[in-house]
Amino acid sequence: MTTTNDAISKAASALDALEPKAKSPRGMMAVVDALYNKITDAIDKGYSYEEIAKLLEESGCKISASTLRQYYSEKKKASGTARKRRQTARKTDDKAEGGL
């Protein structure tokens, strides 16, 4: 018979030997991940997040438009296809700089 200490030692060794698992998206994030290209196509065709979310819900994937937008944006950033916003130079007040 093994003692409790032996069992704990074996369990600790087994846990230490575990390799990291690849993280997989869960729930609606997995849906957005799987349908990312099709959602992109729908957006390119002019459909709104609200319309796409409604279509997904009718298909059995209950997701709000705001959650769809958030998950889609996260996937877009992760894939490196997100457009960077153009920064515009701030106009300064002439009076503050000693102008007229």
Side-chain angles (χ1 to χ4, degrees):
M1 279 185 16
T2 61
T3 65
T4 303
N5 286 341
D6 289 340
I8 291 172
S9 180
K10 283 182 182 179
S13 294
L15 289 170
D16 285 339
L18 291 175
E19 293 293 324
K21 281 182 130 182
K23 291 185 180 181
S24 60
R26 302 213 187 308
M28 286 301 108
M29 184 59 159
V31 171
V32 173
D33 188 50
L35 298 174
Y36 177 77
N37 290 332
K38 295 189 182 294
I39 294 169
T40 300
D41 291 343
I43 291 169
D44 289 346
K45 290 176 184 177
Y47 288 88
S48 68
Y49 289 102
E50 290 80 11
E51 293 168 318
I52 297 168
K54 184 177 179 183
L55 181 123
L56 291 175
E57 186 170 347
E58 290 169 357
S59 302
C61 301
K62 187 171 180 165
I63 188 169
S64 70
S66 61
T67 300
L68 173 62
R69 182 187 315 253
Q70 177 187 348
Y71 289 174
Y72 180 80
S73 295
E74 289 174 12
K75 171 70 177 171
K76 192 173 186 177
K77 284 180 187 176
S79 68
T81 58
R83 291 186 204 145
K84 293 188 178 181
R85 289 187 178 180
R86 243 178 53 190
Q87 291 185 356
T88 57
R90 278 187 140 175
K91 292 184 179 181
T92 57
D93 186 7
D94 285 340
K95 292 179 182 176
E97 291 187 5
L100 298 174

